[in-house]
Amino acid sequence: MSQADLLAQDPVFQLKGSMLAITVMELAHNDLERLDAQLTEKVAQAPAFFSNTPLVLALDKLPEGEGELALAELMAVCRRHGLRTLAIRASRESDVAAAEAMDLPVLPPSGARERLLDPAPKKIEEKPAEPEHKPSRIITSPVRGGQQIYAQGGDLIVLAPVSAGAELLADGNIHVYAPMRGRALAGIKGNTKARIFCQQMGAEMLSIAGHYKVAEDLRRDPLWGDAVHVSLSGDVLNITRL
């Protein structure tokens, strides 16, 4: 095989999964003048938050009776305040057509619950400083599908089975001393040293500091169904036998 053939087979890209933080602006009214004024107030409260912030414009909750939305003007208002529109979320045909004309991705309406985000700095109350690392949270009963358990500031230890559809989150490590069939997200605030320990890996997703593998990838791992230790090296999840 020639050197040119070898070079042609050398991959020039990789597709990798990553959980990125994207701000969603959900519009309640089609009023660009008021939006401009209210964004000005927000930027004054927290200028750093509005510096090249990636944004999804959610238009699916706009009232029908407020007329056509000028999408280009809306994006221009956002851009003046440091918000960079990556995509829109919409259901109305006119909004979808406007986005497609601008070659802007369109996301379907979301049924997921979203956390309200307020970039304004909070008033500092005088109280004793909390330790950076809190005691581990220990769960002794089964974690059912649809449940979400979060260990803030520390490790999460689960001594019972975790069903499919359940979600475990921790700022530190996650230990599951039983079959693990749900989702486990360790180091969710960016702790790349966090680890995941499973007595029996059958997870829908494993994630450390935003880098993850889903069930489709995990099932191909020779340690599927075994006791494993998951760590992060660079941006790659390493799965080793316990």
Side-chain angles (χ1 to χ4, degrees), residues 131-136 150-155 170-173 188-189:
E132 290 185 4
H133 190 82
K134 296 181 180 180
S136 299
Y150 175 34
Q152 184 178 14
D155 296 351
D171 292 340
N173 306 310
I188 62 171
K189 292 185 178 178

Side-chain angles (χ1 to χ4, degrees), residues 141-148 161-167:
S141 57
V143 185
R144 305 299 183 188
Q147 282 187 274
Q148 183 186 80
V162 179
S163 299
E167 191 169 68

Side-chain angles (χ1 to χ4, degrees), residues 94-238:
S94 58
D95 296 331
V96 173
E100 290 176 344
M102 301 172 64
D103 200 23
L104 191 67
V106 178
L107 306 178
S110 173
R113 290 181 295 177
E114 292 165 343
R115 177 174 58 89
L116 192 61
L117 185 63
D118 185 359
K122 301 292 188 291
K123 293 181 179 179
I124 300 176
E125 299 178 2
E126 292 186 6
K127 61 179 181 179
E130 295 184 0
E132 290 185 4
H133 190 82
K134 296 181 180 180
S136 299
R137 183 175 180 183
I138 300 175
I139 305 298
T140 57
S141 57
V143 185
R144 305 299 183 188
Q147 282 187 274
Q148 183 186 80
I149 296 178
Y150 175 34
Q152 184 178 14
D155 296 351
L156 177 61
I157 301 173
V158 181
L159 305 176
V162 179
S163 299
E167 191 169 68
L168 308 180
L169 304 99
D171 292 340
N173 306 310
I174 294 177
H175 305 253
V176 182
Y177 297 106
M180 170 63 200
R181 298 186 180 90
R183 298 182 292 274
L185 295 82
I188 62 171
K189 292 185 178 178
N191 180 7
T192 58
K193 303 296 183 184
R195 308 291 178 96
I196 299 174
F197 303 88
C198 296
Q199 189 177 61
Q200 182 180 326
M201 181 180 71
E204 295 172 320
M205 183 177 76
L206 298 177
S207 169
I208 296 176
H211 302 278
Y212 65 91
K213 287 186 177 182
V214 295
E216 182 180 352
D217 303 314
L218 296 171
R219 287 193 185 97
R220 291 196 291 261
D221 194 287
L223 297 180
W224 175 261
D226 293 345
V228 300
H229 162 223
V230 186
S231 60
L232 185 64
S233 177
D235 58 358
V236 177
L237 287 187
N238 291 324

